[in-house]
Amino acid sequence: MDNTSHSSSAVVAAEGHLIDSQLLTAIFDTVINRGGAFEVQAFDIGRTNDEFSRLTLKVTAPDAGSLTSLLEALIPLGCRVAAEHDALVRPADRDGCAPEDFYSTTNQRTHVRVAGRWIAVERQRMDAAVVLEADRAECRKLRDLRIGDRVVCGLDGVRVTPEFRDRARADFAFMSNDVSSERRVEVSVARIAAMMRETKRAGGRIAFVAGPVLVHTGGVRYFSRLVRAGFVDVLLAGNALAVHDVEAALFGTSLGVDLEAGAPVSGGHRHHMRAINAINRAGGIEAAVHSGLLTSGVMHDCVRAGVRYVLAGSVRDDGPIPDTLTDIVEAQDRYAAELANAGIVIVLSTMLHGIGAGNMLPAWVPVICVDINPAVVTKLADRGSSQTIGLVTDVGLFLHQLASDLTPEESR
Amino acid sequence: MDNTSHSSSAVVAAEGHLIDSQLLTAIFDTVINRGGAFEVQAFDIGRTNDEFSRLTLKVTAPDAGSLTSLLEALIPLGCRVAAEHDALVRPADRDGCAPEDFYSTTNQRTHVRVAGRWIAVERQRMDAAVVLEADRAECRKLRDLRIGDRVVCGLDGVRVTPEFRDRARADFAFMSNDVSSERRVEVSVARIAAMMRETKRAGGRIAFVAGPVLVHTGGVRYFSRLVRAGFVDVLLAGNALAVHDVEAALFGTSLGVDLEAGAPVSGGHRHHMRAINAINRAGGIEAAVHSGLLTSGVMHDCVRAGVRYVLAGSVRDDGPIPDTLTDIVEAQDRYAAELANAGIVIVLSTMLHGIGAGNMLPAWVPVICVDINPAVVTKLADRGSSQTIGLVTDVGLFLHQLASDLTPEESR
Amino acid sequence: MDNTSHSSSAVVAAEGHLIDSQLLTAIFDTVINRGGAFEVQAFDIGRTNDEFSRLTLKVTAPDAGSLTSLLEALIPLGCRVAAEHDALVRPADRDGCAPEDFYSTTNQRTHVRVAGRWIAVERQRMDAAVVLEADRAECRKLRDLRIGDRVVCGLDGVRVTPEFRDRARADFAFMSNDVSSERRVEVSVARIAAMMRETKRAGGRIAFVAGPVLVHTGGVRYFSRLVRAGFVDVLLAGNALAVHDVEAALFGTSLGVDLEAGAPVSGGHRHHMRAINAINRAGGIEAAVHSGLLTSGVMHDCVRAGVRYVLAGSVRDDGPIPDTLTDIVEAQDRYAAELANAGIVIVLSTMLHGIGAGNMLPAWVPVICVDINPAVVTKLADRGSSQTIGLVTDVGLFLHQLASDLTPEESR
Amino acid sequence: MDNTSHSSSAVVAAEGHLIDSQLLTAIFDTVINRGGAFEVQAFDIGRTNDEFSRLTLKVTAPDAGSLTSLLEALIPLGCRVAAEHDALVRPADRDGCAPEDFYSTTNQRTHVRVAGRWIAVERQRMDAAVVLEADRAECRKLRDLRIGDRVVCGLDGVRVTPEFRDRARADFAFMSNDVSSERRVEVSVARIAAMMRETKRAGGRIAFVAGPVLVHTGGVRYFSRLVRAGFVDVLLAGNALAVHDVEAALFGTSLGVDLEAGAPVSGGHRHHMRAINAINRAGGIEAAVHSGLLTSGVMHDCVRAGVRYVLAGSVRDDGPIPDTLTDIVEAQDRYAAELANAGIVIVLSTMLHGIGAGNMLPAWVPVICVDINPAVVTKLADRGSSQTIGLVTDVGLFLHQLASDLTPEESR
C-alpha cells in the first residue's frame, strides 16, 4: 500500500468468470459504495464462454483504515492483494476467542499463503477462523479455538475463489434465486431428482433437513420410499419431526388432525403428549422400534434402513424425547459431522434447522429449499450459498412428485 | 356410564358464557365429528348478556373406548362428568415418565377433585401432568416427574374452565384472531399501549419476546425508551438478538447493512463475527457493559436498567456468546420462571421463541404477536391461547408508535 | 316497536341450526357490539343434532334510529321482526337509483312478504335491490333499476334464511375457512373431485374462473383433460389467460418463459405481442381455431368442445384481443348469466375475476379457491359465501391431481 | 450476416455502463441460453466509475432463424447490429393489426434509423409498435394502428438504450429490487419524500395509483395532507377506492368496519351500497361535492384541490358509480394521458391498477410500490421498469410517515 496525499491505495487482482458470475459488477459496486475509487489497470476479457477473464485493479480509499475495510470486502469477491505476502499468524490468547483482527471466513473455497506456498483451507464453512497446523490449514469455530492455536489474521496471504456460475449446468442456473411459484414445479422436481441420482452415482451423500410439515402434509409415505431406495443418507431434524411422526404412527393423527380424513380431532393434542410419554417410557426411538412399539413412519424407517438421524433441540420443544440433543453446541457439532461430505442437501420446510445446516456448508454444495411460504425460501436463499435453489410448493406434493420420479416402480 | 345395546353414554354438565364463547357449538361439533350422538337434557339460556347459561347433555358413543375418547375431548370445552368422583391418582413408576393414562393439561384454568374437594391446579400450562402434593395440585412437565409422584390419571374429577370471551373488553375481543393487515395499525397500537399501562397499574409484569428483526427494522431506539420507562420487565430472546444488537452498537451495522444509511455494506458479515469475538473476550454482555466496551443498544440498556434477560440457544446460532443458554431444557426452565407471573407478553417477530414462550403460558395471559409476515402471526395465534392478538406490521414502526404512545415526552 | 323511557325495543324471531351455525352467538354479539341490550323471551334448543332451535328475543337500543340500524344488522343473521307486516314498496324515481332506504340484499336465501304471503326472491345475489313484479320478486342491481320499478324498502316483511352449516357433509365443513397449507392437499383434491362428480350427476353446471397462472404452472394439459371429459361447463377469465394460452400454443412460451424447459427466454415478451397480433389478424379466437392457426391450448379446446367462455377486460390488459369484453358492465352481465345455474365454481389463482364471480353468486353455491398465496385465498374466502373453500397450493399441481382423479384413464 | 457451414453470425455493438448495469452479463447469458456462441472482438472497459465501456461482439447461432431470434433478444440489452441500415418500414394492412414481423417495443429509450438519421421514438412504452410519420417516430398500441400506418418491422435500424444504473444516486440504487421487510422503513420513506420534493422542484408531476386499502388502513387523513400540499398531481384508481372513500365520509365505515373504533359493524356492508346509491342519485362525485353531500375524504379533497382523478372499472366493481370509466380501453387511454409526463409514480396497494399504470410508463420514470404483501411488491417490480422500488409495509403507516416528512407543519 502506498499513501498519496492522505489517501491510501492498493492493487488487487482477480480472475475467473468475472462477468458471468457478476463478480466484476460486485467488485466495482463495493469500491464505490464504500466511498472508494478504482482504476482498471488491466482487464483481459474471456473471448468466449469458456475463457477466464483477468482483472488488475487499483483501488483507493480516503485513509488506511478505510482501505483495509475495503479490501476485507473485496476478498470474498475473489480479489487478492496483488503483492503477495504470507498470511499473518497470531496465537490465540484465550480459549474460545480469536485475536481481534482474525480473518473471518466465507463459505467459499479459500487458500492461505504459508512460507510462500498457497494451502487450501480444509473443512470450509462460513464464520470461522482459519487455524494453521503443521502444513495444513482448517476452519475452526471461535468456540473451538484453544490457547496457542495459530490463527490467520488480517488479509495478506488470503485468497478466496468464489463459485463461478456454471452456464453449462443450465438446469441448475435457471433455478438459482428463482423463488417464484409461478413456474412449473414439475420441471423443477425432475431436475432435483436428476441431481440426486447424479450425487449417488458420484458416491456423494444426500442429506435431508426436515420440519414436521413433512408429516402434516402427508409426505411420510413418499419420504419412506426415498429412505428405502437409498436416497436418504442422513436426516437432520428437530424434536418436533420425530414426535409428530411417532404420533402419526401410533395414533394416526398429527397435533390433533386425522391424517387420513384430514378432519380435525378435538382433544387430539393429547395424542402428542402420549406419543412423547410412550417414547420416554420405551427409552428412545430405537428402543421403541426394537420393542415393536413403533412399526411405521419416518423414524421407524430410518432405524430399519440404518439411516442416521440427528435431532437438535429447541426452546419450543415438547418433551423433548431422549433422542433429542438438548445441548445446541453438541447438536451443531453432530450436524456438522454428518454434513462434512454431503453432496446435496434438501431442506423441507424448516427455517430453523435449514439455516443451521446452511451455516455449516461450503458454497459448492447445492442446497434445495422447499417451502409453501415464499418468505421462508427467500430467507434461506439469502443466507445460503449461491447454490441455494428455492422451490415454493407444498412439501407433501413435492415428495410425491420426487418419489414418483426416483422410485417409479412403487408408484402403482 | 351405562351401556345400552353395546353403545356407551354419559351425562356431562357445563356452565358459563357457553353461547358467546362458542363453547356450545364446539361441544355439539365435537360429539358429532367423533361419531357420537347427543341429547340435550336441560339447557338454561342466559337471559341477558351478563347471565350464565347451563347445560346438561347426554352423550352417546359406539363403545366404551370411544366414549372415553369423546369425554377427553369435551373436558377442555368446560364439560365435566355430571356424576362427581375424586380424581384417579397413580404414582409415577419411572423418572421423566407418566402413567400411560395420565391427564394431559390444556392451558385453561383447571380444578381436580381430591377427597371430595375441588382444588385449583397451580402453575397452569399446556401439555403437562397434574401432580398432587399434600393438599395442593400443580402442573409438571413430563421430564420433571420423579418416581412416586402422584399423577392425576383419566378424566374423573377433572374440571376445566375455559376463558370466556369478555364482550365488555371490546377493545380486546375485536382483535382476537384478527390477522388482517388491512386494519388500522394505529388503533391496535393504542389499545396495546392501554393494556400495558393497565398491566403496570395492576402490578403485573410485561415480558417481551424478541427476534433480531427488532434491530434490523430500526426498533432499538424505541425499545430502549420502553426499557427506560419501565415497560419491560423481562426480555426473552435468542443469541441472534444479542449478537445483532451488539454488532449494531459496536459497528453500526446489522449482518452487513448500515443501519443509518440503510445501504448494504459488503463484507459486513465480518462485523457479526467480530462482535461475537469481542463479547467472548469480554466474558459476556454484562462484563462488556461494565468494562465500557458496550455503551448502547438493547442489551446495554437492559443491563443498565436492571431488566432481566434470558437468551435461549438454537441450532442456527453463531457463537454463541457466553450469555446464551446452550442447553434448551435449562433455557425453557428459565423462560418459564420469568413468565410465571407475566401479565402480558409481547412477541416481536420470532416464531421460535414466541412459540416457546406461548407453550408455557396459561390461557388468560394476553399475548401480542407482531410480525410483518401474516403466516407467522397466524401460526402463533393458532397455537396460542384464545387471548392471542396478531398484528401484521413492521416491528420498527410498531415500536415507534408504541413508544410515542407510552413515552410521549421523549417523542420530541 | 314500543318506546319506554326514550329507548326503543322490538321483538325478533329466528329458527334453524342456530347453535351449530353460530348464528346465536352472532345475534348476541351484534346486539351488544352496537350498544343494545337483549332479553331472551324464549329459547327452545334442538334436543338432538337434527332438530332446529327456536329463539324469540327482545332487543333494545338507545333510540329508534339505533334500533332500525340494529334490526338491519340482525336480518342477515336470520332474524325477522316477530310482528309480521308486508314489505314496504316504493317506486324508483330515477333510472339506476333506488329510494334511499332500499333494502340491500345479502347473498342468502331471502323472502319478502307481499299481500300476506312470503315470496322467495329470485336471482339471489348480494348488494342488489329487490324488485316486485306481479307476484314475483327478484334481485336487481342498482344500475338496472328503471323509473317506476317497485323496490322493497326498509326491513318489514323481509326474511333471510342463512345457510346452515351441514355437519353431515363433513367433507365440506372440514375445509371451510381452512386456508392452512399444512394440510394434505391430496385429501382436499379428492373431496373437490367428489363434489364435481356429484354436481354433474345432479345435472348442475361447473364453472371455472381462471387466471393466467393456469398456463404458467403447466396446468394446460390437465385442464384440457377436464374440458374433454365434460367437467368444464363454462370458463370465466380475462384477456391475460387467453393471450398467455395462445402464446404458449403458438410459441411454446409464456411471457418469455419456455414452458417445457422452464428456462427464461429473454426477448420472449415479444411472443406475447405477436400472439395478440396474430389473434387480431385472425379476427378472434374462434376464427383462429377454424382457420387452423390455433391448434392446441385451453382456448382451442374450449372452442372444439363447445365450452362457453367469457373474457372480461381490465385496465392492465395487453391488446386486448377481439374476444375480450372491454366494457365491464357487459362483462359482469355475461358472467352473471353464465353463473345463473352453476352448481360449483372453481377459482384458479385470480383474485380479480374470482371476486367478480363471487359477488354474483348466492350463498349456497360452493366456491373453491386455489392459489399459492395464502393471502389471496383468505381474501376471497372473507368476501365470499360461507361455502368458500380455500386451498393453498400450486395451480399446476392441483390440476394434475384433479385430472388424475377425474380422468384416470388418461393418466397413463 | 454471413453464413458459414450452415451456421449464421452477426456482429453487434453496445456501449455504456455495461458492467455496473449487468448488461454485459445479460448479453453473454442470452447468447448461451439460446444455444448461440460469442466471440469478443473488442472490449474497452471503462477505466473509472464514470467512463463508459464499449463492446463489439460476434454472435453465432445454428441457423438464420435462430440468429434473428437471438438478435431480437439482444436489442433490449442495448446491442445494435454493427452494420447500420435504415429501419424496415411496412404499411399496416388492417386496422388494429401490425405486420407479422413488427418490432415490439420495450419501455427503454429507443431510436430508429430513417434515411440515415437516428430518430428518438416518442411516447415510449412497452408492447407497442413504432409508427413513422414524416420525420417523427412514436409508440402506438396495436389497437390504435390504422391501415396505411408506416410500422417499423424487423431489427435493422433499431437501437435501444437501457437505463444505466446510476451509482451516484446511491439512495435509489440501494432500494432497487429490495423487497425485504427487514429494512428500515423510515429510511426508505425519507428517501421517497426527497425524490418527491426533487420531482416538484424540477417541475415534474407526481401520480398516485391507489387501491381501497388507502381507506381501510386509515391513510385518508395523511393522503389529504399530501393533496392539500400539492404533492398529488393526479390520482389513478378504481371504482372501489372512490366508493370506500365515500362510504367512510358518509358513514364512518369501510365495508362494515368502523374506522375510528376499528371494530366491525355487522350489517355495515349496507353502507357500501347506500354510498353508491347516494352518488348515483347525486349524479357523480363532483356533483356530490358541489351539492354539499360529500364534505370530506380523498375524492372530496381532490375535487376541492383541483386534483385530477381517473377511475378505471373492473369486473369486480359494485355499482359502478358514474365517475368510473366502464370501458377499459377508454380507461387505459385516460390513464396513459395522465401519465404522459409523470416524474414519479407511487402505487399504493393495488396490483391491478399498478400493473396497468406500469405498462404505460417508460423505464426512466421511478415507480414506488407500497404493499403489506411481499408477493405483490415482487410481482409489480418484476414487470415494471428497472426503476421500480418495492416497500413492504402498511399503507396507512407509510402515508403517516410520508405526510410527517413532507408536511411537518401539520403534524402537531
Side-chain angles (χ1 to χ4, degrees), chain C residues 34 93-94 265-266 281 327, chain D residues 34 93-94 266 281 326:
Chain C
R34 294 175 153 263
D93 60 338
R94 293 187 50 171
V265 175
S266 82
R281 295 185 70 84
D327 187 81
Chain D
R34 292 174 155 264
D93 59 339
R94 294 185 49 170
S266 82
R281 296 185 69 86
T326 64

Side-chain angles (χ1 to χ4, degrees), chain B residues 219-229 296-298 301 410:
Chain B
V220 168
R221 83 180 70 172
Y222 307 113
F223 189 78
S224 288
R225 279 164 57 177
L226 299 180
V227 167
R228 289 194 300 268
S296 67
V298 166
D301 290 344
E410 291 202 51

Side-chain angles (χ1 to χ4, degrees), chain A residues 184 186 191 259 261 372 400, chain C residues 181 184 186 191 259 261 400:
Chain A
R184 293 186 65 188
E186 299 187 14
R191 288 175 182 184
L259 286 172
I372 195 75
H400 187 167
Chain C
S181 60
R184 295 186 63 188
E186 299 186 15
R191 290 177 182 183
L259 286 173
H400 188 168

Side-chain angles (χ1 to χ4, degrees), chain C residues 80-273:
Chain C
R80 65 184 182 282
V81 177
E84 293 195 354
H85 300 278
D86 274 4
L88 173 65
V89 178
R90 295 191 209 273
D93 60 338
R94 293 187 50 171
D95 282 359
C97 300
E100 287 193 7
D101 62 343
F102 79 104
Y103 173 79
S104 176
T105 60
T106 71
N107 59 4
Q108 307 279 6
R109 286 178 208 281
T110 306
H111 289 75
V112 291
R113 192 165 179 274
V114 182
R117 283 188 31 225
W118 287 100
I119 304 177
V121 175
E122 299 172 29
R123 306 179 64 177
Q124 188 64 47
R125 57 162 294 158
M126 66 167 76
D127 296 336
V130 176
V131 173
L132 299 186
E133 278 186 5
D135 57 350
R136 296 174 49 248
E138 74 169 29
C139 285
R140 200 167 292 172
K141 289 186 71 74
L142 292 182
R143 69 181 181 230
D144 294 330
L145 291 176
R146 291 295 164 265
I147 289 187
D149 277 352
R150 300 174 58 228
V151 178
V152 172
C153 294
L155 300 170
D156 273 332
V158 176
R159 180 195 290 177
V160 169
T161 311
E163 285 300 289
F164 298 123
R165 210 164 50 109
D166 186 351
R167 282 211 198 88
R169 290 172 65 191
D171 56 343
F172 197 72
F174 111 84
M175 289 186 291
S176 301
N177 295 323
D178 173 4
V179 297
S180 165
S181 60
E182 294 188 11
R183 291 286 184 276
R184 295 186 63 188
V185 172
E186 299 186 15
V187 171
S188 304
V189 171
R191 290 177 182 183
I192 292 166
M195 291 168 70
M196 291 173 69
R197 276 199 210 89
E198 190 186 336
T199 300
K200 296 309 293 183
R201 252 196 310 271
R205 299 178 81 222
I206 299 175
F208 276 82
V209 186
V213 167
L214 168 59
V215 180
H216 305 159
T217 56
V220 167
R221 83 179 71 172
Y222 307 113
F223 189 77
S224 287
R225 279 163 59 178
L226 299 180
V227 167
R228 289 194 300 268
F231 285 105
V232 182
D233 289 295
V234 64
L235 173 63
L236 306 178
N239 183 69
L241 171 66
V243 173
H244 287 248
D245 177 61
V246 169
E247 180 190 341
L250 296 185
F251 302 106
T253 59
S254 174
L255 264 192
V257 173
D258 180 320
L259 286 173
E260 275 314 305
V265 175
S266 82
H269 205 256
R270 199 156 306 196
H271 288 163
H272 192 68
M273 296 315 295

Side-chain angles (χ1 to χ4, degrees), chain B residues 121 129-133 136-140 145 149-152:
Chain B
V121 175
V130 175
V131 172
L132 300 186
E133 278 186 6
R136 296 175 49 250
E138 74 169 29
C139 284
R140 199 166 293 172
L145 291 176
D149 277 354
R150 299 175 58 228
V151 178
V152 172

